[in-house]
Amino acid sequence: FDCGVQFPSYAEGEAKRASPNLFLLTTFATPQVFPANFFFKTMNTLASFSNVHEGETILVCGCGYSLNQLEHPEEFVTIGVNDVGRKFQPDYLVVVNPPHQFSGDRFRYVESSQAKFIFTQLDLGLEKDNVVKFSLGTQGGTDFSNPDALNYTQNSPYVALCLAIHMGARRIGLLGVDFTNDHFFGPTGV
């Protein structure tokens, strides 16, 4: 069965967990039930996410203090970074730092993430079916011709922004990308 995987947006319907083992896809006239790992098996490369949110709005969420202004994340398609799961569970999570670079309990939020998919170029040691590995493209790059690579800089939200572009977003919002020394969950000085 080829569902043409246009992963549904919140405006059109959404894939909801009907049970731990089933997803209910509500974009069809009659809701269809798929095994929980259906999407994980068919969408396991960065290329498979090309234009899945074509023309939509995606909110990229960093871990800066301004993330506290987000009151209803479920109303948006969201791409979060790192331990944004302290605040809410994003649709997609981007992690480009190795576990040892997370201080305190920060990596625990990556490990327990309920994001539909986690995107990384690393082996994070996560025992999950929803991890999508990608290659790093060009530092500071703006060429999106390689469907298996995301460009990068020294901050994770840039990679998340590149993922939103790869997914076909027409409008991209940024929140929690403050370029300050603290995070939304407290004064970390980083």
Side-chain angles (χ1 to χ4, degrees), residues 61 63 79-85 90 92-102 106-113 115 117-126 128 130-134 136 150 152 155-160 163:
C61 300
C63 292
I79 301 175
V81 300
N82 302 333
D83 53 337
V84 74
Y92 307 102
L93 183 67
V94 172
V95 181
V96 294
N97 298 86
H100 73 271
Q101 289 184 354
F102 290 85
R106 292 189 66 194
F107 191 72
R108 181 172 57 94
Y109 292 93
V110 173
E111 293 173 314
S112 63
S113 176
F117 293 93
I118 299 172
F119 293 84
T120 185
Q121 83 285 11
L122 302 168
D123 179 2
L124 297 173
L126 300 176
K128 297 178 178 255
N130 63 339
V131 176
V132 178
K133 296 283 276 291
F134 63 88
L136 289 177
L150 293 174
Y152 67 99
N155 60 53
S156 301
Y158 186 84
V159 179
L163 178 59

Side-chain angles (χ1 to χ4, degrees), residues 151-169:
N151 297 314
Y152 67 99
T153 61
Q154 293 297 321
N155 60 53
S156 301
Y158 186 84
V159 179
L161 175 70
C162 291
L163 178 59
I165 292 167
H166 177 78
M167 290 180 164

Side-chain angles (χ1 to χ4, degrees), residues 10 14 27 34 45 47 50 55 92 96 108 111 170 172 174:
Y10 288 104
E14 63 183 286
T27 55
F34 297 96
T45 65
S50 180
Y92 307 102
V96 294
R108 181 172 57 94
E111 293 173 314
R170 188 171 136 221
I172 300 171
L174 293 174

Side-chain angles (χ1 to χ4, degrees), residues 8-99:
S9 72
Y10 288 104
E12 298 166 349
E14 63 183 286
K16 294 184 179 179
R17 245 186 219 283
S19 75
N21 297 320
L22 295 176
F23 275 100
L24 178 64
L25 191 60
T26 59
T27 55
F28 297 103
T30 304
Q32 304 292 312
V33 177
F34 297 96
N37 63 357
F38 174 80
F39 292 108
F40 304 137
K41 287 184 177 180
T42 60
M43 299 190 70
N44 56 10
T45 65
L46 180 63
S48 65
F49 287 86
S50 180
N51 293 318
V52 296
H53 290 291
E54 187 171 11
E56 297 180 45
T57 298
I58 296 179
L59 183 60
V60 171
C61 300
C63 292
Y65 187 77
S66 66
L67 187 63
N68 289 318
Q69 297 174 20
L70 182 59
E71 295 181 5
H72 300 284
E74 68 281 357
E75 295 178 2
F76 304 94
V77 174
T78 55
I79 301 175
V81 300
N82 302 333
D83 53 337
V84 74
R86 290 173 181 263
K87 177 84 173 158
F88 74 97
Q89 294 298 324
D91 295 299
Y92 307 102
L93 183 67
V94 172
V95 181
V96 294
N97 298 86

Side-chain angles (χ1 to χ4, degrees), residues 138-145 151-152 158 162 165:
T138 304
Q139 185 170 12
T142 57
D143 176 10
F144 296 94
S145 61
N151 297 314
Y152 67 99
Y158 186 84
C162 291
I165 292 167

